[in-house]
Amino acid sequence: MPRAPRVPPRRAACDNARMSFAPLQNDTFLRACLGQATDYTPVWLMRQAGRYLPEYRATREKAGSFMGLATHVDYATEVTLQPLARYPLDAAILFSDILTVPDAMGLGLSFVQGEGPKFARTVRTEDDVARLAVPDMDKLRYVFDAVTSIRRALAGRVPLIGFSGSPWTLACYMAEGGGSSDYRHVKTLMYARPDLMQRVLDINADAVAQYLNAQIDAGAQAVMVFDSWGGVLADGAFQRFSLASTARVLAQLKRTGADGAVVPRIVFTKGGGLWLREMAALDCDVLGLDWTMNLGAARRIVIEAAQANAPENIAARAVAAAPGAENALKEAPRPPKALQGQIDPNVLFAPPEAIRAEVRHVLDSFGRPHTYRAAPGSTHIFNLGHGISQFTPPEHVSHLVDEVHRHSRALRGQAMAARG
Amino acid sequence: MPRAPRVPPRRAACDNARMSFAPLQNDTFLRACLGQATDYTPVWLMRQAGRYLPEYRATREKAGSFMGLATHVDYATEVTLQPLARYPLDAAILFSDILTVPDAMGLGLSFVQGEGPKFARTVRTEDDVARLAVPDMDKLRYVFDAVTSIRRALAGRVPLIGFSGSPWTLACYMAEGGGSSDYRHVKTLMYARPDLMQRVLDINADAVAQYLNAQIDAGAQAVMVFDSWGGVLADGAFQRFSLASTARVLAQLKRTGADGAVVPRIVFTKGGGLWLREMAALDCDVLGLDWTMNLGAARRIVIEAAQANAPENIAARAVAAAPGAENALKEAPRPPKALQGQIDPNVLFAPPEAIRAEVRHVLDSFGRPHTYRAAPGSTHIFNLGHGISQFTPPEHVSHLVDEVHRHSRALRGQAMAARG
């Protein structure tokens, strides 16, 4: 059973801070998350605050290390806002790492230059699992402080997305001790001792739920679960170990922030296209996709899933999205999941005209946009299918963002004209 | 346009050798490839001759290096047969590497211990592509000599599978210069200069076709195309660059060996489950799957694809499989593709009883086997969804192979009993 969320002592102070958040000026991303029509397709980029930006590299230089950057509220705020100064993105995402939670569990996270994350201790044996527990959220205060600081610094310009790794993805890193090419240790644990694997996933799920709830309390306006390694699982094992533990997270999440606004939930399983129909039953608002899945086919799947679930679901969101309507929302039928993704980040190495053509291809593959006049039929949030490469020329990103906005407006104009 | 296949001068000598091949004693694998009923589900394992076997490590020690092993006919023969001495496998696969073809193109292949394959020269620029050509097949004579030697040494015990990397997968290694986590160089070439990418793929396809045809002439009884990296492509790019170039290979392949026996073709795209319907239109007999795809769902897809193609296809293979019937086969409707795969090799780290349970799960997920009394509805060849890990305990493999044979016989017994 889920544990009761701990209430860290810092809450009271933050509550006051939260009251001063500026009103949101650009709600396009949040509206699209909730299945509502928008004037254009919103866009943000996974890892948009990152090494491809010289200003990011300068701040990281000052911070000394990746964790020095992530744990320093002012630096984390600074780098989160850097891409927004360059590009008219429709959302900001907390600068942090998916491995903060296992670090707070005492596994000893470090980042070795050129090698990625490493844990000092791994979780592979019965004893390792016995020592594991949901960490004191106070150890992650630096994250929640960063959320509040970034939300203030954004001053309502665009919404702020909080995030966490999925229970399964965290378990991968915890068992492997870092990245892996074969997932041998975590899968050995899973196939040899499914009972221990389940215990790890339950602890991770409860920790992730508390972690995301604390981010929501601190000011996050949407939350995303990164199931980066769900796609390495076998059919059957994915449903049992990854999907079920993500569902356990979602079941514990707050539906609204302290300001009463609905906090949309995004779930992204890299390589999860084959399981989209099952993922469409998750209690979330948006499903992330990578570039292997055809967007039009994905849209048909989430629409069918919503229709199978509730034929009368079209007007329900408007009621449910009202402040304080959490209970109504839990019971109400839901619109089709919004879809987020999914251009290959390597497209950004092509010349500007090729980038723009690929952007149009992705937007077109989703199909005619949901417009104000038409019945909802899933909405689209443009993103990459994976984090942006550190080698990306920053000026190429401008072309991508501009073409998303330009072409998606044009598509809506065509759709409106076609309907008279 | 495909180039005319070169006929290497060594052919005549080999023709005589080929005549002396012993008759096949176990044709279960070949029959399953061709959609025919078998008494049990045949099984072989990708990379079955490999580092997990102490006898392999001993031979490699003698050979000095991986390429020393692969280019030495006696050693290659020895290691190919090693797993057959331990396990009752239903096929042997040539011991070689998928990168022999680009090596013969002059790119300078080497294997650095612990780092995988490296090329001295990469293919990234217009000049690089201009220098590229289908290699003289005589440079690959060591491979064809190994095929003949292994076929003789097998003495008809089980059939011998020849193989090649797919044009796209070879292109990945050629552009990246080795393994990659992001495929940045090959995708930059693809997105920035699709014309150059196409040129590389055309050359690779023609080279692969000549290479596989020479393996068929040398004695290979089935051929497999490893599209190991097709799954990293975006929807649309996969069809245009990987699938189309694999189709170009298949269009040039010989249908029968010198002894007149049909040579089944297997195509395996790792991570290609989302594109199975499109792959079902390839001119091949078997599609390989990894563990992410549900086998029962895959079976429904290949059956639907075959039915859409030709409702009257059931009896056609018997006609087409007759010696010299290549032309009839080209025109004739085809049975549903056989499916090969797809257990996660990490299952082999679990205890024997768990391995056996997972084997039964995979066999059961395919559904009731095609039996002699029933109409063909796709056949199954058991395999891993990826090469066996070097850390696998060899005794665990015995349990996997035994359970495939035992449980698949039991399933056939049930199916026959149920039909009276």
Side-chain angles (χ1 to χ4, degrees):
Chain A
M1 287 299 296
R3 299 164 177 219
R6 276 191 83 256
V7 180
R10 44 175 286 288
R11 282 284 165 75
C14 255
D15 278 345
N16 296 333
R18 220 179 298 119
M19 292 306 151
S20 65
F21 292 147
L24 191 58
Q25 296 150 39
N26 175 355
D27 65 352
T28 312
F29 166 75
L30 291 181
R31 292 170 56 82
C33 285
L34 297 173
Q36 297 168 15
T38 54
D39 292 339
Y40 61 89
T41 300
V43 54
W44 67 278
L45 306 177
M46 286 194 271
R47 226 184 281 158
Q48 63 192 21
R51 280 185 284 180
Y52 73 108
L53 293 176
E55 57 270 33
Y56 170 92
R57 296 195 296 269
T59 310
R60 175 158 171 182
E61 188 80 14
K62 283 190 287 180
S65 69
F66 180 88
M67 284 308 282
L69 190 53
T71 58
H72 190 294
V73 168
D74 291 344
Y75 287 152
T77 303
E78 186 177 311
V79 297
T80 300
L81 268 68
Q82 282 168 351
L84 299 168
R86 278 184 181 258
Y87 319 113
L89 296 158
D90 295 294
I93 182 162
L94 164 68
F95 180 81
S96 188
D97 191 80
I98 61 167
L99 299 181
T100 51
V101 170
D103 183 53
M105 288 171 172
L107 300 186
L109 177 65
S110 63
F111 287 82
V112 184
Q113 193 77 39
E115 285 188 44
K118 295 275 171 211
F119 282 114
R121 283 165 291 285
T122 56
V123 180
R124 295 177 187 173
T125 67
E126 186 146 17
D127 282 351
D128 296 338
V129 176
R131 276 193 292 272
L132 215 58
V134 174
D136 184 340
M137 287 294 135
D138 213 39
K139 289 184 182 158
L140 293 157
R141 181 188 294 211
Y142 66 92
V143 175
F144 314 132
D145 288 347
V147 168
T148 303
S149 165
I150 296 162
R151 174 92 186 255
R152 275 206 206 113
L154 281 169
R157 186 168 157 191
V158 292
L160 174 61
I161 305 167
F163 72 92
S164 172
S166 75
W168 164 255
T169 294
L170 298 184
C172 287
Y173 281 102
M174 291 158 70
E176 303 294 333
S180 175
S181 61
D182 59 5
Y183 301 90
R184 181 161 58 96
H185 297 292
V186 70
K187 287 184 172 182
T188 298
L189 184 64
M190 179 182 85
Y191 283 119
R193 289 295 305 272
D195 58 319
L196 292 181
M197 188 79 244
Q198 191 59 58
R199 172 92 185 117
V200 173
L201 293 172
D202 287 351
I203 293 168
N204 285 357
D206 297 347
V208 166
Q210 290 188 30
Y211 184 57
L212 290 175
N213 278 336
Q215 292 185 38
I216 290 171
D217 285 342
Q221 290 155 289
V223 289
M224 178 156 167
V225 176
F226 284 85
D227 189 26
S228 312
W229 300 121
V232 306
L233 281 164
D235 183 63
F238 170 76
Q239 291 86 339
R240 176 175 171 190
F241 294 107
S242 172
L243 192 67
S245 57
T246 294
R248 181 174 170 128
V249 173
L250 296 172
Q252 298 177 62
L253 284 194
K254 300 185 176 206
R255 174 54 63 182
T256 56
D259 58 1
V262 171
V263 177
R265 303 134 171 222
I266 310 168
V267 175
F268 173 47
T269 294
K270 181 133 198 294
L274 284 166
W275 303 305
L276 192 62
R277 200 173 299 273
E278 286 149 297
M279 295 186 68
L282 284 173
D283 184 16
C284 68
D285 307 280
V286 186
L287 293 174
L289 295 169
D290 67 31
W291 52 81
T292 58
M293 182 82 197
N294 180 280
L295 262 187
R299 189 185 193 182
R300 284 191 292 278
I301 288 172
V302 294
I303 290 173
E304 282 168 19
Q307 284 169 345
N309 205 27
E312 75 287 21
N313 66 9
I314 290 168
R317 174 65 66 179
V319 177
E326 299 98 309
N327 291 331
L329 189 65
K330 273 182 199 146
E331 310 303 326
R334 309 275 286 270
K337 300 274 187 279
L339 296 172
Q340 177 174 281
Q342 38 93 284
I343 205 165
D344 188 333
N346 288 294
V347 165
L348 288 165
F349 295 114
E353 273 319 303
I355 294 170
R356 288 179 180 268
E358 291 292 332
V359 165
R360 290 194 298 274
H361 172 74
V362 168
L363 287 167
D364 292 348
S365 71
F366 181 78
R368 180 170 282 187
H370 167 38
T371 61
Y372 296 99
R373 296 194 198 178
S378 182
T379 47
H380 181 208
I381 297 147
F382 199 99
N383 206 318
L384 310 175
H386 188 67
I388 193 167
S389 165
Q390 62 174 307
F391 304 107
T392 306
E395 65 278 16
H396 282 195
V397 176
S398 301
H399 290 280
L400 180 144
V401 173
D402 182 66
E403 191 66 15
V404 172
H405 286 161
R406 193 199 64 73
H407 187 63
S408 68
R409 280 185 193 277
L411 285 174
R412 280 162 178 77
Q414 288 167 21
M416 301 291 265
R419 285 162 204 275
Chain B
M1 289 298 294
R3 298 163 178 221
R6 278 189 80 258
V7 180
R10 46 176 284 290
R11 282 286 165 73
C14 256
D15 277 346
N16 296 333
R18 221 178 297 120
M19 292 303 152
S20 65
F21 292 147
L24 192 57
Q25 296 150 39
N26 175 354
D27 66 351
T28 313
F29 165 75
L30 291 180
R31 291 170 56 84
C33 285
L34 296 173
Q36 297 169 15
T38 54
D39 292 340
Y40 61 88
T41 301
V43 54
W44 67 278
L45 306 176
M46 286 193 270
R47 227 184 283 157
Q48 62 192 21
R51 281 185 284 180
Y52 73 108
L53 294 176
E55 56 270 34
Y56 170 92
R57 295 195 297 269
T59 310
R60 175 155 171 183
E61 188 78 15
K62 283 191 287 180
S65 69
F66 181 88
M67 283 309 281
L69 191 53
T71 56
H72 189 293
V73 169
D74 291 343
Y75 288 152
T77 304
E78 185 177 311
V79 297
T80 300
L81 268 67
Q82 283 168 348
L84 299 169
R86 280 185 179 256
Y87 319 114
L89 296 157
D90 296 293
I93 182 161
L94 164 69
F95 180 81
S96 186
D97 190 81
I98 61 169
L99 299 181
T100 50
V101 169
D103 183 52
M105 288 172 172
L107 300 186
L109 177 64
S110 63
F111 287 83
V112 183
Q113 192 79 37
E115 285 187 45
K118 296 276 170 209
F119 282 114
R121 283 164 292 285
T122 57
V123 180
R124 296 178 186 171
T125 68
E126 186 146 17
D127 282 352
D128 296 338
V129 176
R131 275 192 294 271
L132 215 58
V134 174
D136 184 340
M137 287 294 135
D138 214 37
K139 290 185 180 157
L140 293 157
R141 181 190 294 211
Y142 66 91
V143 175
F144 314 132
D145 288 348
V147 167
T148 303
S149 164
I150 296 163
R151 174 95 186 254
R152 276 206 206 113
L154 281 170
R157 185 167 158 192
V158 292
L160 174 60
I161 306 167
F163 73 91
S164 172
S166 74
W168 164 255
T169 294
L170 298 184
C172 287
Y173 281 102
M174 292 157 70
E176 302 294 333
S180 175
S181 61
D182 59 7
Y183 301 90
R184 180 161 58 96
H185 297 293
V186 70
K187 287 185 171 181
T188 298
L189 183 65
M190 179 182 86
Y191 283 119
R193 290 295 306 271
D195 58 320
L196 292 181
M197 188 78 246
Q198 191 60 58
R199 172 92 187 120
V200 173
L201 292 172
D202 287 351
I203 292 168
N204 285 357
D206 296 348
V208 166
Q210 290 188 29
Y211 183 58
L212 289 175
N213 278 336
Q215 291 185 38
I216 291 170
D217 285 341
Q221 289 155 288
V223 288
M224 179 155 166
V225 176
F226 284 84
D227 188 26
S228 312
W229 301 121
V232 306
L233 281 165
D235 183 63
F238 169 76
Q239 291 86 340
R240 176 174 171 190
F241 294 107
S242 172
L243 192 67
S245 58
T246 294
R248 180 173 170 130
V249 173
L250 296 171
Q252 300 177 63
L253 284 194
K254 301 186 174 205
R255 175 53 65 181
T256 56
D259 57 2
V262 171
V263 177
R265 302 133 171 223
I266 310 168
V267 175
F268 173 47
T269 294
K270 181 135 198 293
L274 284 165
W275 302 305
L276 191 62
R277 201 172 298 273
E278 286 148 298
M279 295 185 68
L282 283 174
D283 185 16
C284 67
D285 306 280
V286 186
L287 293 173
L289 294 169
D290 67 31
W291 52 81
T292 59
M293 182 81 196
N294 180 280
L295 263 186
R299 188 185 192 183
R300 284 191 292 278
I301 288 171
V302 294
I303 290 173
E304 282 168 19
Q307 283 170 346
N309 205 27
E312 76 286 20
N313 66 8
I314 291 168
R317 173 65 66 180
V319 178
E326 298 98 311
N327 291 332
L329 190 66
K330 273 183 200 145
E331 309 302 326
R334 310 277 286 272
K337 299 277 188 277
L339 296 172
Q340 177 174 282
Q342 40 89 282
I343 205 165
D344 187 335
N346 288 293
V347 165
L348 288 166
F349 295 113
E353 273 318 303
I355 294 170
R356 289 179 180 267
E358 291 293 332
V359 165
R360 291 194 297 274
H361 173 73
V362 168
L363 287 167
D364 292 347
S365 72
F366 181 78
R368 179 169 284 187
H370 167 39
T371 61
Y372 296 99
R373 297 195 196 178
S378 181
T379 47
H380 180 207
I381 297 147
F382 200 98
N383 206 318
L384 310 175
H386 188 69
I388 193 167
S389 165
Q390 62 174 306
F391 304 107
T392 307
E395 65 278 16
H396 282 196
V397 176
S398 300
H399 290 279
L400 180 143
V401 173
D402 181 66
E403 190 66 16
V404 172
H405 286 160
R406 194 199 64 75
H407 187 62
S408 68
R409 281 186 193 275
L411 285 174
R412 280 162 179 76
Q414 288 166 22
M416 300 292 266
R419 285 161 203 274

